[in-house]
Amino acid sequence: MAHDAAIIRIAAPNLMSELLEPTLSTVEASAAGRLGTVTLAALGIAEEANRLLTFGRHALMVSATPMVAAAVAKGDLDRAAAVVSNGVVLACAFGVVQLVVIRVAGAKIVARMTPAAESDSDTHSKAALQLASSATGFLRIVGFAAPASLVGYVLLGSMAGALDPATPLAIQTACSILRATATSLVSRKTEWGIQGVAWVQVSTAWLQALLMVGAAVRKGLLGAAPLRLALG
């Protein structure tokens, strides 16, 4: 029974964490719908393209969890901190690569996912051009969240490995509430369009990553010495 309680204590926050992203997607879809059907379609296309191009999130998370857990179980906190630091450095590097890929290839990916515009005059072609433009604009902006998102996933897995899934859940919940509220407010400013929703996503992703870094530092999983070890 003691093991069952420990499993529930770790699994329950992770389950609740998994529910946050689809909830936010629903809020963003609702906000985009208020801006028009083309904007809603552009959001769907851009989000799918973003998922395609920002791979590796869960791989980094599930890799960090058992390695940190093994080090913590042995009482080797220096080893755990080195694992986390290496994960953060790797996440930053992958995130920058993904950002570059999005900036370079994002428009081409979106073009493959949207109908071709045969001319600039008819209504169908104008809608197709607006759809592609809105989706590309959103994708190019949210690409700036890639490094922060990957760092957040590494630290989420690391904190779970250190038997503290509650702290990341509290940070995620607070940032999710902020993101949902800001998205709803931004969607009422029609002149900001879908780009405003994208900047909200980027801002809250970086805020969440910074709060997660602060939590990891306070727990002793990040610091100057482990970071030097990771870079060395």
Side-chain angles (χ1 to χ4, degrees):
M1 292 297 292
H3 292 297
D4 292 341
I7 291 171
I8 292 173
R9 189 173 63 252
I10 295 172
N14 287 329
L15 177 61
M16 295 176 66
S17 176
E18 289 291 327
L19 295 174
L20 290 174
E21 192 59 37
T23 301
L24 286 172
S25 295
T26 302
V27 171
E28 290 177 347
S30 175
R34 284 198 292 268
L35 297 171
T37 55
V38 173
T39 302
L40 179 59
L43 176 66
I45 291 170
E47 289 284 17
E48 286 302 317
N50 188 44
R51 273 189 281 270
L52 173 66
L53 295 173
T54 55
F55 52 88
R57 298 176 182 180
H58 290 281
L60 287 171
M61 182 177 68
V62 300
S63 298
T65 301
M67 295 176 70
V68 172
V72 170
K74 294 177 181 177
D76 190 352
L77 295 182
D78 288 339
R79 172 60 182 168
V83 169
V84 177
S85 298
N86 276 292
V88 169
V89 171
L90 190 62
C92 290
F94 278 178
V96 171
V97 170
Q98 290 177 358
L99 172 58
V100 172
V101 170
I102 287 173
R103 302 294 296 183
V104 172
K108 295 179 181 178
I109 298 295
V110 169
R112 294 286 185 179
M113 301 172 69
T114 54
E118 298 177 358
S119 68
D120 296 338
S121 58
D122 64 276
T123 303
H124 173 77
S125 295
K126 286 182 179 179
L129 288 171
Q130 183 185 354
L131 176 62
S133 175
S134 297
T136 301
F138 182 92
L139 181 61
R140 284 177 173 270
I141 293 172
V142 296
F144 289 109
S149 178
L150 290 177
V151 168
Y153 271 86
V154 167
L155 294 177
L156 177 63
S158 299
M159 296 289 278
L163 302 180
D164 182 16
T167 299
L169 176 62
I171 293 173
Q172 283 183 301
T173 301
C175 290
S176 295
I177 292 172
L178 177 61
R179 177 174 156 185
T181 303
T183 297
S184 297
L185 293 174
V186 165
S187 67
R188 303 179 191 281
K189 296 286 186 179
T190 54
E191 66 272 16
W192 293 353
I194 195 174
Q195 286 78 15
V197 176
W199 281 117
V200 168
Q201 192 174 133
V202 171
S203 301
T204 52
W206 278 102
L207 174 61
Q208 180 172 306
L210 290 174
L211 291 174
M212 294 279 278
V213 167
V217 169
R218 288 192 298 274
K219 201 169 182 65
L221 294 176
L222 269 179
L227 191 56
R228 284 198 297 271
L229 176 62
L231 292 172

